Amino acid sequence: MDTFEKHPDLPPPVSEVGVIGWLRKNLFSSPSNSVMTIAALYLLYLAIPPVIKWAFIDADWVGNTRAACTSGGACWVFVGARFEQFMFGFYPQAEHWRVLLTWGIFAGLIGLLIAPRIPGKIWIGSFTLFVFPFIAYNLFHGGVFGLPVVTTSQWGGLMLTLILSTVGIVCALPLGILLALGRRSKMPILKSVCVSYIELWRGVPLITVLFMASVMLPLFLPQGVDFNKLLRALVGIALFQGAYVAEVVRGGLQAIPKGQFEAASSLGLSYAKSMVLIVLPQALKMVIPGLVVTFIELFKDTTLVSIISLLDLLGIVQAGLTDPKWLGMTVEGYVFAGLFYWAFCFGISRYSLHLERRFETGHKR
Amino acid sequence: MSEANVNTPAEKPAGEPMIEIIDMHKWYGAFHVLKDINLTVRRGERIVVCGPSGSGKSTMIRCINHLEEHQRGKILVEGVEVTEEVKNIERIRRDVGMVFQHFNLFPHLTVLDNCCLAPIWVNKVPRKEAEAAAMTYLERVKIANQATKFPGQLSGGQQQRVAIARSLCMSPKVMLFDEPTSALDPEMIKEVLDVMTDLAEEGMTMICVTHEMGFARKVADRVIFMDAGQIVEENAPEEFFLNPQNERTKLFLSQILQH
Ligand SMILES: Nc1ncnc2c1ncn2[C@@H]1O[C@H](COP(=O)(O)OP(=O)(O)O)[C@@H](O)[C@H]1O
Ligand SMILES: [Mg+2]
């Protein structure tokens, strides 16, 4: 054989591609696999049609009162009638625009921050972190520029859930980073302070922290010093969440080779600059999945504030269920609340997957 | 001390001392890593340090820019003593560049940003100027066309050349190389050594830990042999290779030169 001929690429056999190939490979590859597939399909057949019937086909959608619900399926009229309350709590209706405006600004800022290739992100970020909270507080609370005051006890529903979780996240992240750095410090006192803090808070359930913040803290404070219940809950959540963030961030810091810090030092960068410019960006990117998990947990854990009678989304739905005019709406109420939480958590988790993929390109060592 | 170097060109300035290590000792816990190190490096001198693995070569040069701390004796860089004091350390690190065995490039920054980072954040050079300067150094190490790539997209030899450029961007007066070619595939060693040779010819003061004996012959003013934490022998390259004095040096040379 003195002539070498390149063999042409042949198309793959049918069993490797197309719908049939996929089905055969994934669902019916063996007898036991086929049995599982058929059993699963049968279960789905049993479960899904009744749910669809209840939620859509037999459901009532229009109306204002309970009397509109006659078909025997889900009574979404309840959710419709209560929707504003679910979103805003007892925030006066005439002032709802303030809440919407604030979230609008916030969404815009976040949009600018996560959009690729926008210059001046440092300034947008600083504005979001340091200026926006004051704007938000003044818009929510009022009392300036002729806006009527709306006390925090009137805040509720989704608005409160979002306040608790965003403030919790924004405060817990820097706290957690500092704690993680402290825990890896060579200074023994600083190190043990951070370790004790983290272990203390991680050993206590959030519900206890919230009780302490709302019931016990006032006992320790001097007479007359009384600060807002919402603020107390926020402080409790941030301190609690900080400990969890710290452990996640520590995992990332440990994964960064010592050589990175040494290279930064040898170039003359101080400890702080090495951390901020070299080590933390890499460590935080690495722990995005872990951070997202803790933040999704926090988002769901904010429901615990209802035990200190702050009415977040779940709390206000529950309160609505006890309304004598709407008795028997339990399933509708919880399904609605559950869907809302799920949609938020799913959205966050998808976004984090997207972030991971974006950071992956080319940064591999 | 071999002051009169046989192989040194006539224009070599008999410079003042850049680095002086005087009676330096170091311990890792109870382990005495460096024992009574004495070494003077003059401006423009090129020193090659070799010796078996674990003999303390890395530790010694890392003490010079205080990546490691020595416990006894003195180290002076341009007359400034290496101490705990942050001010001294900062000053010394500005004058001393370092290249590592594993490059230690910053993987989350582009090649250009790797080079600009320290000038911008340490020397407060405006970004435009820093980038322009970085590009000239990247050209010098023949890698300017990769400036927008990330380190992970480059070969080992290219990464090490970027690391050299990154160090040069701080205009150091001394360069420390810690086995810069040991992590490289054979075909990439030459491109890095060429850059180092160019640097030496431009008069950079250098301390290179390396086992590249060809490079030592061609470039070094002095070769230092370390074993078990001590400087065992110190000589001009010709003498060092042809006529080693110490038994351990002979053994070491026979081991690394036999193939
Ligand atoms: N951080 C450390 N802690 C304890 N021992 C170390 C440490 N770094 C290096 N050593 C030890 O010090 C000795 C010298 O190491 P090193 O300077 O890296 O040697 P070389 O660079 O000549 O191979 C080795 O025996 C090594 O095991
Ligand atoms: Mg070494």
Side-chain angles (χ1 to χ4, degrees):
Chain A
M1 274 265 278
D2 52 349
T3 53
F4 169 80
E5 230 180 282
K6 190 182 176 296
H7 199 294
D9 294 339
L10 299 175
V14 219
S15 62
E16 291 301 306
V17 286
V19 183
I20 309 271
W22 186 89
L23 282 178
R24 186 158 334 135
K25 210 188 218 153
N26 292 291
L27 299 181
F28 299 99
S29 63
S30 68
S32 60
N33 194 341
S34 307
V35 171
M36 293 288 280
T37 302
I38 291 165
L41 286 175
Y42 181 66
L43 281 177
L44 288 178
Y45 166 75
L46 285 186
I48 289 185
V51 171
I52 291 182
K53 193 161 178 302
W54 175 81
F56 299 103
I57 299 169
D58 288 351
D60 292 290
W61 299 86
V62 282
N64 295 312
T65 59
R66 189 140 212 239
C69 293
T70 49
S71 338
C75 181
W76 297 125
V77 178
F78 165 68
V79 172
R82 291 278 171 157
F83 191 75
E84 291 209 324
Q85 211 183 65
F86 291 172
M87 295 298 107
F88 301 100
F90 301 103
Y91 210 89
Q93 194 171 18
E95 309 296 327
H96 282 176
W97 64 270
R98 280 156 52 178
V99 179
L100 293 174
L101 176 65
T102 312
W103 291 126
I105 299 173
F106 186 63
L109 288 170
I110 295 293
L112 283 179
L113 277 176
I114 64 184
R117 275 184 282 285
I118 291 217
K121 286 212 177 167
I122 294 195
W123 299 110
I124 303 171
S126 316
F127 181 84
T128 313
L129 269 184
F130 302 113
V131 183
F132 175 72
F134 293 99
I135 299 175
Y137 177 76
N138 284 318
L139 273 170
F140 282 154
H141 185 263
V144 287
F145 306 123
L147 296 173
V149 172
V150 182
T151 58
T152 54
S153 56
Q154 290 166 281
W155 305 5
L158 180 68
M159 168 195 178
L160 187 65
T161 297
L162 289 179
I163 291 175
L164 288 167
S165 40
T166 40
V167 175
I169 289 165
V170 167
C171 298
L173 194 57
L175 175 66
I177 290 172
L178 290 178
L179 284 167
L181 291 175
R183 186 163 191 171
R184 285 170 58 80
S185 154
K186 283 198 196 110
M187 288 177 260
I189 295 188
L190 178 63
K191 185 175 171 155
S192 37
V193 167
C194 291
V195 172
S196 330
Y197 179 97
I198 293 169
E199 296 309 333
L200 179 74
W201 287 88
R202 290 209 313 154
V204 181
L206 179 59
I207 204 160
T208 325
V209 174
L210 290 173
F211 259 128
M212 299 267 276
S214 85
V215 184
M216 295 196 42
L217 198 60
L219 300 180
F220 299 125
L221 288 175
Q223 282 282 313
V225 180
D226 176 35
F227 62 104
N228 189 286
K229 185 156 67 178
L230 174 61
L231 185 59
R232 274 182 273 159
L234 280 174
V235 171
I237 287 176
L239 296 181
F240 176 85
Q241 196 65 15
Y244 282 86
V245 171
E247 285 301 275
V248 175
V249 172
R250 183 167 72 107
L253 291 176
Q254 271 166 346
I256 306 300
K258 223 172 99 209
Q260 291 289 308
F261 181 73
E262 286 176 353
S265 306
S266 77
L267 286 166
L269 273 81
S270 62
Y271 173 85
K273 282 178 190 162
S274 309
M275 283 300 152
V276 171
L277 297 168
I278 305 300
V279 178
L280 280 174
Q282 296 181 55
L284 292 181
K285 266 172 208 175
M286 205 172 284
V287 296
I288 286 174
L291 287 176
V292 170
V293 168
T294 55
F295 289 147
I296 286 179
E297 273 166 13
L298 169 65
F299 184 75
K300 293 188 288 185
D301 280 351
T302 55
T303 51
L304 293 173
V305 295
S306 51
I307 60 131
I308 56 170
S309 56
L310 289 171
L311 293 179
D312 71 319
L313 179 57
L314 187 65
I316 203 121
V317 169
Q318 270 172 327
L321 298 178
T322 59
D323 183 343
K325 274 184 282 179
W326 290 99
L327 285 178
M329 293 295 124
T330 322
V331 182
E332 285 84 348
Y334 283 123
V335 166
F336 172 77
L339 278 177
F340 231 97
Y341 282 103
W342 177 80
F344 263 89
C345 295
F346 186 69
I348 299 172
S349 131
R350 300 279 26 177
Y351 182 66
S352 93
L353 277 182
H354 161 79
L355 271 189
E356 271 173 65
R357 252 178 259 132
R358 203 174 96 202
F359 286 144
E360 220 168 84
T361 46
H363 293 183
K364 284 252 174 71
R365 244 180 292 268
Chain B
M1 289 276 289
S2 56
E3 251 315 286
N5 286 304
V6 260
N7 68 331
T8 325
E11 76 265 14
K12 189 189 130 30
E16 68 274 31
M18 288 282 295
I19 294 176
E20 288 173 273
I21 304 179
I22 303 158
D23 300 334
M24 191 259 278
H25 292 253
K26 166 159 185 68
W27 287 263
Y28 280 125
F31 174 46
H32 199 169
V33 221
L34 293 178
K35 301 168 184 167
D36 195 29
I37 303 288
N38 281 284
L39 178 67
T40 302
V41 182
R42 296 173 181 281
R43 186 181 301 284
E45 248 187 326
R46 282 88 61 160
I47 312 285
V48 162
V49 182
C50 61
S53 172
S55 57
K57 309 177 296 292
S58 301
T59 310
M60 180 179 83
I61 66 167
R62 287 156 61 87
C63 283
I64 296 172
N65 64 351
H66 201 264
L67 286 184
E68 302 288 351
E69 207 176 331
H70 61 284
Q71 281 88 29
R72 207 199 284 173
K74 249 190 197 181
I75 302 176
L76 300 168
V77 178
E78 290 237 295
V80 179
E81 185 171 356
V82 180
T83 57
E84 290 255 281
E85 240 172 276
V86 178
K87 247 196 149 142
N88 279 357
I89 298 174
E90 277 177 2
R91 159 124 188 244
I92 284 158
R93 284 179 180 165
R94 235 176 290 146
D95 288 344
V96 180
M98 187 167 221
V99 174
F100 300 85
Q101 182 175 0
H102 296 287
F103 331 133
N104 298 358
L105 291 177
F106 307 131
H108 61 304
L109 300 177
T110 62
V111 165
L112 187 62
D113 287 339
N114 263 275
C115 295
C116 296
L117 185 95
I120 291 174
W121 290 94
V122 180
N123 290 352
K124 311 271 185 277
V125 179
R127 174 169 281 274
K128 280 259 149 46
E129 271 173 50
E131 284 183 356
M135 285 311 288
T136 65
Y137 285 112
L138 286 171
E139 252 148 49
R140 250 170 80 179
V141 301
K142 301 182 187 66
I143 203 151
N145 55 343
Q146 315 276 9
T148 55
K149 286 198 181 163
F150 286 94
Q153 298 166 304
L154 304 183
S155 74
Q158 291 174 319
Q159 292 194 44
Q160 193 60 295
R161 286 185 282 144
V162 172
I164 295 173
R166 175 177 74 178
S167 223
L168 291 176
C169 282
M170 291 297 281
S171 328
K173 295 177 180 157
V174 191
M175 288 284 285
L176 310 175
F177 291 84
D178 190 359
E179 305 206 32
T181 56
S182 317
L184 296 178
D185 293 335
E187 75 269 21
M188 293 168 188
I189 291 179
K190 186 173 177 298
E191 63 188 61
V192 172
L193 290 181
D194 284 349
V195 167
M196 290 169 64
T197 309
D198 287 349
L199 208 56
E201 275 162 11
E202 285 161 29
M204 175 65 78
T205 313
M206 297 163 63
I207 303 181
C208 311
V209 176
T210 181
H211 293 151
E212 293 298 331
M213 290 306 145
F215 174 80
R217 278 214 173 86
K218 193 157 102 192
V219 170
D221 297 315
R222 266 186 292 155
V223 180
I224 284 170
F225 175 71
M226 285 184 75
D227 191 20
Q230 279 174 292
I231 296 184
V232 173
E233 187 160 347
E234 178 177 348
N235 221 330
E238 228 79 331
E239 280 293 297
F240 181 85
F241 290 113
L242 294 177
N243 192 12
Q245 304 295 310
N246 192 290
E247 281 310 312
R248 280 183 286 182
T249 319
K250 282 179 198 165
L251 181 66
F252 176 75
L253 285 177
S254 74
Q255 278 164 347
I256 64 164
L257 294 178
Q258 73 192 181
H259 44 236

